Amino acid sequence: MSHLLYFLWGQVKKQFGFDDEDEETSQLNANTSAKDFVNKRVEVFKDVTYLKDSKDYKHQLNIFKTRKHVINEENSTPIHEDNLPVIFFVHGGSWRRGDRTHRWFDVYSRMATRLCSTFPCIVVNISYRLAPTVTYREQVYDLIQAFTFVRKEIKTFGGNEKNIILMGHSAGSHLIACALLQYGMSLENVNICEVKLSVNDKKDKSEEPIHLEVKEKEFIIDKEALNCIRGIILLCPVTDVQNVSQRHFLVRKFIVEPAFGISENYEKCSPIYYVQHMLTNGKVLFNLPPFYICNAESDLQLEEQGEQFATLLKELVEKYQEKKVNITYKRFKDGTNHFTIVGLSKSMGKMYDPLFHEIVQFIKETLHVPETLVHEEVTETFVDNSVIENNVLLTENRTSLTTFEDVGKLIEEQESEEIFEKQTTEHDNLFYQYM
C-alpha cells in the first residue's frame, strides 16, 4: 500500500509541477511537518502557552514574525521592535476539528509565513478546545483568553498590542463574531453562563447530552480589549447556526448539537441575531471596526449567510454608528469552495491568490503597516510526506463535498460513535482537512 501511495504522490507532483526540495529549503521526511520549516524571512515561536497553568495542548499558540534583517533600511520609516501590526488567526473545523498546525500541509503556518514574507507583521495562530468535549462557549472563552495573552505579551515578541486584526475561517469566524457581538470580548460575560457537560464514557445512549444554564447578569463591554481591534476578517463565516441546524438531521446531530447542545432555537448562538437585535433597538453597544467578509463560489450553502451578515452590519454602521467604517463583502468565483479558498483540499496548502491579495490590501488599509519590507514572496516548496500518505487517495472524492449534508453523511459513514468522541484518531486524520 505504501508503494502505491508513493507512486500516486509522484503522479500528483508531476501533474502540479512540484519539484523536490533543495538543500536550502531542507528536505522534509515523513516525521517532519511544514511547521518546522524556518523561512529566512520569518521567525517562529511555537507552542506558546496562553492560559496560565494549563497543560492542555489546545491552550497554546504559534507566533510568526517578520525578521528584522529583511527590513529595507534605505526607506525612511524604520521598524521598531515593538511596532509590528498583529494578525490574530482562529482556525475552522465545524467546532470539532482543526488545529493551529493543520495536518493538511500545515496550511495555516504556510499562510502565516506568506503574510510575514509579504509585509512586516506578526501572525498569531491559536488552538482551542474542541466539541464535543466542550461547547462553543468554552471555545469563545479560549479565544478571549488567547487574545488577552496577546494583548499583554505580544510586545515582548515585537508586536503592537493596539494594532490587531482578528481573522478566522468557517467556525473560527463564527467564534470571533460571537466573542465580539455576543460577549463584547469580555471573559466576564462568558462566565455568566454555567456549562454542564455530560461525558458519555459508557456510550449509554439514554444519558442526557450537553445542557446549558444561563445566569442573568449585566452585560459588560471590555472597552480596553475592543480598542485594540482595528479590523475583522471573516472567511466563509457561519453567522446563522439556527439556519444550519435546520438543514439535515445529520448536520444537527454531528455538527450543531456537539458544539451548541440540544435546543429548538439556536438564535442566541448566531452572530447575525445580535446585529439584528441592535438594528431593532436602534443603537450599537460599541463602535464596530471595519469588516472584510467573503465566501467561496461553492461554500457549504453559507453564501447567503455571509452576504446577509455583511448587509446588516453595513446598515447598522450607516444608521447608528457615529464613526463610519467600511464593511466589505466579496463572493469569489473560479470554482473555489469552502476548503480550497484557504488552501485545504486540492489546493495543497496554498491560499487562493485573489483572496490572499485582498486580505493583504485590507490589512494595509486598516492597520498601520510600515512599507519597509523588501517585497518578494517566498516560494513554497516544502511538503509534509506524512500527510500525503494519509490523504492523497482522498483528494478526488473529498473535493465533491459541497454541502453540510455531504459532510454529515461522511461523518456517519466514516466514524463509529466511539471514534466520534475521541479527538485524536486515525479517522480524524482522514476527515481533518475538511472540517
Side-chain angles (χ1 to χ4, degrees):
M1 177 62 72
S2 61
H3 294 294
L4 176 60
L5 290 170
Y6 187 81
F7 169 76
L8 290 172
W9 172 233
Q11 299 304 305
V12 170
K13 287 201 295 183
K14 183 183 295 185
Q15 176 70 25
F16 289 91
F18 289 141
D19 294 323
D20 290 329
E21 297 84 356
D22 55 28
E23 293 181 3
E24 184 177 349
T25 57
S26 296
Q27 292 190 10
L28 300 172
N29 57 35
N31 296 319
T32 308
S33 92
K35 68 183 179 182
D36 295 315
F37 175 80
V38 179
N39 184 275
K40 64 182 180 180
R41 291 180 173 85
V42 181
E43 188 173 6
V44 184
F45 305 87
K46 297 187 297 184
D47 304 331
V48 178
T49 298
Y50 63 77
L51 187 58
K52 186 177 180 181
D53 299 328
S54 174
K55 298 185 184 301
D56 194 328
Y57 170 82
K58 292 296 186 180
H59 286 147
Q60 295 178 348
L61 50 80
N62 292 341
I63 298 172
F64 299 78
K65 174 187 176 183
T66 304
R67 288 185 182 275
K68 285 186 67 177
H69 74 260
V70 301
I71 304 302
N72 185 351
E73 301 294 348
E74 294 180 2
N75 286 324
S76 57
T77 309
I79 292 183
H80 301 290
E81 290 187 2
D82 60 350
N83 199 37
L84 290 178
V86 180
I87 296 94
F88 181 95
F89 181 77
V90 185
H91 69 79
S94 290
W95 304 275
R96 56 184 291 278
R97 291 287 188 275
D99 190 60
R100 66 186 182 279
T101 53
H102 202 293
R103 281 180 271 181
W104 186 247
F105 290 104
D106 201 0
V107 59
Y108 304 134
S109 296
R110 286 174 174 266
M111 174 201 69
T113 301
R114 190 177 177 190
L115 284 170
C116 291
S117 299
T118 304
F119 63 92
C121 66
I122 286 179
V123 179
V124 179
N125 287 350
I126 77 164
S127 294
Y128 53 87
R129 292 169 293 169
L130 303 175
T133 306
V134 299
T135 70
Y136 90 102
R137 201 162 273 124
E138 284 91 351
Q139 293 174 338
V140 171
Y141 176 86
D142 289 352
L143 186 160
I144 298 177
Q145 285 283 13
F147 183 72
T148 301
F149 173 86
V150 168
R151 283 172 47 215
K152 292 180 178 179
E153 303 295 339
I154 202 63
K155 192 169 184 177
T156 63
F157 295 92
N160 185 342
E161 75 280 5
K162 295 183 179 179
N163 204 16
I164 302 175
I165 275 187
L166 305 183
M167 178 166 68
H169 173 240
S170 192
S173 290
H174 168 269
L175 295 176
I176 287 174
C178 284
L180 180 73
L181 299 170
Q182 183 178 358
Y183 295 112
M185 296 295 288
S186 169
L187 286 174
E188 292 188 52
N189 290 331
V190 181
N191 290 333
I192 291 172
C193 306
E194 288 189 347
V195 180
K196 291 185 177 181
L197 176 60
S198 175
V199 180
N200 196 347
D201 293 329
K202 298 181 180 180
K203 312 298 182 297
D204 181 1
K205 305 261 177 148
S206 64
E207 188 174 344
E208 289 294 319
I210 299 170
H211 288 284
L212 302 176
E213 291 185 356
V214 180
K215 290 183 176 181
E216 294 295 328
K217 190 177 178 182
E218 183 181 357
F219 184 78
I220 300 165
I221 296 173
D222 191 335
K223 293 183 179 179
E224 187 177 344
L226 296 176
N227 288 339
C228 297
I229 302 171
R230 300 301 182 203
I232 293 181
I233 299 172
L234 304 180
L235 311 177
C236 313
V238 180
T239 62
D240 189 346
V241 179
Q242 178 68 15
N243 173 271
V244 173
S245 71
Q246 295 171 340
R247 294 185 183 180
H248 194 282
F249 80 94
L250 289 175
V251 175
R252 192 180 186 98
K253 177 181 177 183
F254 288 110
I255 295 178
V256 175
E257 290 180 358
F260 301 96
I262 295 177
S263 176
E264 292 301 318
N265 192 312
Y266 292 98
E267 282 188 348
K268 291 188 177 180
C269 308
S270 305
I272 199 167
Y273 166 84
Y274 296 94
V275 179
Q276 292 169 333
H277 183 70
M278 285 188 277
L279 277 169
T280 300
N281 290 324
K283 66 176 181 179
V284 290
L285 296 177
F286 49 83
N287 280 330
L288 296 171
F291 275 76
Y292 176 89
I293 303 167
C294 77
N295 286 106
E297 182 174 20
S298 178
D299 209 352
L300 298 182
Q301 300 176 0
L302 296 172
E303 303 90 341
E304 290 185 6
Q305 288 192 25
E307 186 170 10
Q308 184 184 11
F309 186 66
T311 300
L312 291 175
L313 278 174
K314 187 176 295 186
E315 182 182 353
L316 182 64
V317 168
E318 289 176 352
K319 284 186 176 180
Y320 304 114
Q321 182 161 305
E322 289 186 15
K323 182 182 178 181
K324 305 306 180 187
V325 295
N326 291 327
I327 308 294
T328 305
Y329 177 77
K330 179 67 176 285
R331 172 89 181 275
F332 288 95
K333 302 295 184 181
D334 297 335
T336 55
N337 66 41
H338 189 77
F339 313 110
T340 60
I341 198 167
V342 292
L344 298 169
S345 184
K346 63 181 180 180
S347 293
M348 296 189 173
K350 186 178 182 183
M351 179 178 279
Y352 180 58
D353 278 336
L355 171 59
F356 180 81
H357 295 310
E358 289 214 4
I359 288 174
V360 170
Q361 186 62 31
F362 175 80
I363 292 172
K364 287 185 175 182
E365 291 174 354
T366 306
L367 297 179
H368 169 61
V369 179
E371 295 288 349
T372 55
L373 182 67
V374 178
H375 182 77
E376 180 185 355
E377 289 189 20
V378 66
T379 302
E380 299 177 304
T381 57
F382 52 91
V383 174
D384 181 356
N385 293 321
S386 62
V387 173
I388 301 306
E389 289 187 9
N390 288 316
N391 294 292
V392 68
L393 292 176
L394 301 174
T395 303
E396 183 177 352
N397 294 331
R398 298 307 179 81
T399 54
S400 64
L401 293 174
T402 57
T403 67
F404 272 111
E405 285 78 0
D406 294 331
V407 172
K409 291 174 184 177
L410 182 63
I411 299 174
E412 186 180 52
E413 293 170 0
Q414 301 256 350
E415 298 183 337
S416 66
E417 190 71 17
E418 179 178 356
I419 293 175
F420 171 73
E421 292 191 4
K422 295 181 180 179
Q423 297 302 316
T424 54
T425 66
E426 188 172 355
H427 282 279
D428 276 351
N429 201 29
L430 298 178
F431 189 72
Y432 209 39
Q433 66 268 34
Y434 290 103
M435 296 308 300

